[in-house]
Amino acid sequence: MNHMAKTILRRLYYGTKILCKFAMISPILLFMVYFSYKVDRSGLFQGALGPRTVVDLMLSGHDVTNFEQMDERGVVSLYAQDVPENERPSVIGIGSSRVLQFNREVIGTDSYFSMGVTGADVRDNMTSYYVMVRAGKAPDVLVWSVDPWVLYGSEKAFDSRADSELYNEFLTKVLGVETDYEEPDKVELWKALADPAYFQGNMDYYMAIRSGAAVTDDEGNEIPFKAVTGDVYDNDASIKRSDGSVLYSKEFREQNQDQILFNAMSACNTFNSVHMEGFTELSAKQEQAFDAFIRYAQSNGTTVILVLCPWHPYLYDFLLWQEDDHQGFLQVENWIRQYAHDNQVPLYGSYDPLQLGMEEMDFFDGLHCKDIGLKKFFPGVPAILQQIESGSVPDALEITPRTTAAERCPW
């Protein structure tokens, strides 16, 4: 046998040994990768531990403590990712904190999840729906509580907490609008799965949870979200319900009329700070985005229902009295009503509480309506779907909000 043949045989021999060894350890490597991916204590693949803890609890049917400390946008995104496809809600709600009182009782079905977030701007609204579609879980019905600033074109209408990268992805991939969005490079993330140190960290974390130890993040901070125990209506702080809505603290819910009026009066001089500073006219660009988003939802088989949540009577009268400072706000409802009428989109509610027979005790403060108030003008999704089917949806132009200072504040 010549030298070349011996060399080839030797290489084959050692190559076969290496392959055999790899075959023996490959199940271990695969387990390490799978385990690190599923446990993922640093949130590289499954999302940050805080929002993930909240979502896990809600998907298990629990209400969750410490709403004020939650990353609400992280919760919404992870909910879309983690809710099983066969449990996806048939109805979702989007909007700011003004939609968070739309609970399952108000909506009229148990198959509901509120994806509203505090301070939501137009980007939050659109991406909250988009993440459901992207996950292959488009809802049958979208209840959009439309805040006036969605038609304001200024940067002041944006919330710093919104996920601008996700919004740019939506604009680029869905609406075909040019942005600076680039597909993220996930190579470095995936390398972590094969890192023994990351596997060990995940193993330590998993064993700590199994032993009943407190859940902590990478910095050792305890995750503050727990399942609510005891009477859910006897809580000292606001909680996140399992349907995504929010139940305010008992003290806040049980304010008397004088306290509620004081809250509404306090909101008067800070109203423009709610994404509406300098809002004097509607933005043609935002009007187009409004239409494009609704058509996008409809193209995914989703029925869109628009809602205008009212403002406290005292606050609304103040806005009329200070008409010159709030011209943009006073234009919004008429535009949306005309749009809903022209495009046959169901519309319920009004920013003007007088048109709905609302009373001061129907509110928590100047901006937020109680569920008892919502029921005065929102008949529930099942009833609305019946109205759509029978062609009896109320005409959006039947209500004419006060948009002049004809009726001034009583002081």
Side-chain angles (χ1 to χ4, degrees), residues 103-314:
N103 51 36
R104 287 171 179 152
E105 184 182 0
V106 173
I107 291 293
T109 175
D110 288 338
S111 184
Y112 168 72
F113 190 80
S114 175
M115 302 188 79
V117 296
T118 302
D121 61 19
V122 66
R123 301 171 298 178
D124 288 311
N125 292 170
M126 295 184 181
T127 55
S128 292
Y129 174 77
Y130 169 59
V131 292
M132 291 294 289
V133 176
R134 187 178 64 177
K137 303 163 188 173
D140 299 324
V141 178
L142 173 66
V143 177
W144 185 7
S145 174
V146 184
D147 293 298
W149 53 84
V150 303
L151 295 179
Y152 183 23
S154 170
E155 290 286 330
K156 295 174 182 177
F158 291 160
D159 193 288
S160 61
R161 294 166 291 187
D163 190 335
S164 57
E165 182 178 352
L166 180 61
Y167 181 62
N168 284 339
E169 177 186 333
F170 170 72
L171 290 178
T172 303
K173 291 187 172 183
V174 175
L175 301 187
V177 176
E178 279 194 32
T179 70
D180 57 1
Y181 172 75
E182 294 182 3
E183 286 280 0
D185 182 4
K186 296 184 178 180
V187 173
E188 291 302 317
L189 288 180
W190 287 102
K191 285 182 179 178
L193 294 181
D195 185 349
Y198 192 56
F199 170 75
Q200 184 61 54
N202 281 310
M203 181 61 75
D204 293 342
Y205 171 71
Y206 177 77
M207 295 306 294
I209 294 176
R210 294 278 293 182
S211 67
V215 178
T216 60
D217 59 22
D218 281 347
E219 284 72 45
N221 300 314
E222 184 174 347
I223 305 298
F225 310 116
K226 313 290 183 184
V228 175
T229 57
D231 184 358
V232 71
Y233 292 100
D234 192 27
N235 54 297
D236 295 328
S238 299
I239 63 175
K240 188 78 165 172
R241 304 301 304 271
S242 61
D243 65 0
S245 65
V246 170
L247 182 67
Y248 292 124
S249 68
K250 183 177 181 180
E251 180 182 9
F252 190 67
R253 296 195 315 272
E254 296 181 355
Q255 296 177 104
N256 61 38
Q257 187 167 354
D258 289 340
Q259 292 170 317
I260 294 171
L261 180 59
F262 176 79
N263 291 340
M265 294 174 65
S266 300
C268 290
N269 291 321
T270 60
F271 181 78
N272 272 344
S273 65
V274 188
H275 297 326
M276 287 185 285
E277 184 179 356
F279 188 14
T280 59
E281 61 182 0
L282 308 188
S283 163
K285 181 178 179 181
Q286 295 307 112
E287 291 172 359
Q288 293 170 1
F290 183 95
D291 176 61
F293 175 65
I294 289 179
R295 295 186 186 279
Y296 166 66
Q298 292 171 336
S299 73
N300 283 288
T302 299
T303 298
V304 178
I305 299 171
L306 301 178
V307 176
L308 301 180
C309 285
W311 307 81
H312 188 281
Y314 186 99

